[in-house]
Amino acid sequence: MKKGNSILTDSFGREHNYLRISLTERCNLRCTYCMPADGIALSPKSHIMTYEEIYTIAQKFVANGVTKIRLTGGEPLVRKDVSLIMEQLASLPVELAITTNGVIVDRYIEQFKTYGIQKINVSLDSLDALKNESITRRDYFTKVYNNILLLVQEGFEVKVNCVLIKGFNDNEVIDFIELTKNNKLQIRFIEFMPFDGNKWNMEKLVSLEEILQQVHNEYDVKHFTRLNDQPNDTAKNYKIAGYEGSFAVISSVTNPFCDSCNRIRLTANGQLKNCLFSTSESDILTLLREGKSIEPIIQKAIISKKKIRSGMNTLDKFKDPNSHNNRSMIAIGG
Ligand code: SAM
């Protein structure tokens, strides 16, 4: 594929070579920041992409320049045919990765190895079992914690996603960083983002600046270094000298990283979102089912991508509750 000449290049010259596919809207957890208390209205099963459709759509993206696919959800591993999906996607010339809540990850270790899935992101928001239960509304802390250690032992590249919420788990920043002392993993603190029904407000947000302040208070400046970011990295990466692992901050709200954005998202019901914050979607699945070409609609979605966070270019815009009229994160695929 000639650089800059693809249907996946937007009007700001950003090339989108990273596709995140949500496999399901279902989840075995009920995280408060991800979904409303009374759940979401699930799409009818017939509206969810079949494994064949996922493969066909992925093939087209790969033919147009996608080099990395991440499976997400909902919880991707609760989808019954997830093994088949992984097997099929593994036959494409792409790097395959997955984001999971880790609850049943131990059952998939061998399959991940077989299908070349090396990069695994696992969500864990507290190291306190009771707090974890209160945020996930389920009691799986020990299982998830042990599964994270198992993945590290098995040699996977593990990132632990931790959404920080003021007054709830922001006092655990240092405890999480200490986990990187003897474990080769990365902790990623994610700024809390607004989505439909998650009761977001600015006061609950723990910013990049506040996180770094805690780190400065705890560690000697000499022992705390900023790592070089990878191209298209969403995270700002750091390391405590001598620690095996590292930590990072994904500051989507206070310090967005849209300039180098290379991501596009496909929801479980076959809608393309050109940005996490975008409220408009492109219905790829209907066109595919009608036997029509999907490339023109993909190109249109990419071309219409805005420069910053789908137009949410100032912090003030977050304060407008209308800006939260997006799908719940569980239905987008984080
Ligand atoms: N079930 C999988 C999991 O738990 O990782 C994948 C889906 S989950 C929606 C993907 C990621 O989105 C998780 O790391 C989660 O913490 C993050 N996420 C969900 N809602 C969020 C929010 N409001 N702000 C920031 N991150 C959020």
Side-chain angles (χ1 to χ4, degrees), residues 37-96:
D38 45 3
I40 59 160
L42 293 171
S43 302
K45 193 157 184 264
S46 61
H47 293 197
I48 299 293
M49 295 181 291
T50 63
Y51 71 84
E52 293 98 332
E53 287 164 343
I54 291 174
Y55 180 67
T56 305
I57 295 173
Q59 245 183 339
K60 294 198 189 293
F61 273 99
V62 172
N64 282 288
V66 160
T67 54
K68 177 171 178 183
I69 293 180
R70 178 173 293 278
L71 305 179
T72 180
E75 171 50 36
L77 297 177
V78 301
R79 182 161 164 156
K80 290 204 174 66
D81 56 1
V82 65
S83 304
L84 193 54
I85 294 169
M86 292 191 288
E87 182 184 354
Q88 293 200 329
L89 295 181
S91 71
L92 296 172
V94 277
E95 177 184 76
L96 257 193

Side-chain angles (χ1 to χ4, degrees), residues 214-227:
Q214 284 202 43
V215 177
H216 279 294
N217 293 345
E218 182 70 22
Y219 301 98
D220 189 325
V221 172
K222 293 197 292 290
H223 293 134
F224 159 50
T225 47
R226 171 90 196 258
L227 300 173

Side-chain angles (χ1 to χ4, degrees), residues 128-190:
D128 171 326
L130 282 179
K131 265 201 213 177
N132 216 66
E133 185 174 345
S134 91
I135 200 139
T136 63
R137 304 179 178 119
R138 294 290 183 273
D139 177 16
Y140 286 125
F141 170 76
T142 310
K143 188 94 192 80
V144 173
Y145 186 81
N146 289 337
N147 275 345
I148 289 172
L149 299 182
L150 175 69
L151 288 169
V152 175
Q153 260 169 35
E154 292 286 338
F156 291 99
E157 209 176 300
V158 181
K159 292 182 177 165
V160 175
N161 287 342
C162 171
V163 177
L164 287 177
I165 299 176
K166 181 87 46 85
F168 176 73
N169 59 354
D170 53 336
N171 59 346
E172 295 191 58
V173 167
I174 303 302
D175 295 340
F176 269 106
I177 293 176
E178 283 302 302
L179 256 190
T180 70
K181 188 171 188 174
N182 298 314
N183 295 296
K184 198 165 183 298
L185 50 75
Q186 184 181 67
I187 301 293
R188 302 203 307 175
F189 299 112
I190 308 180

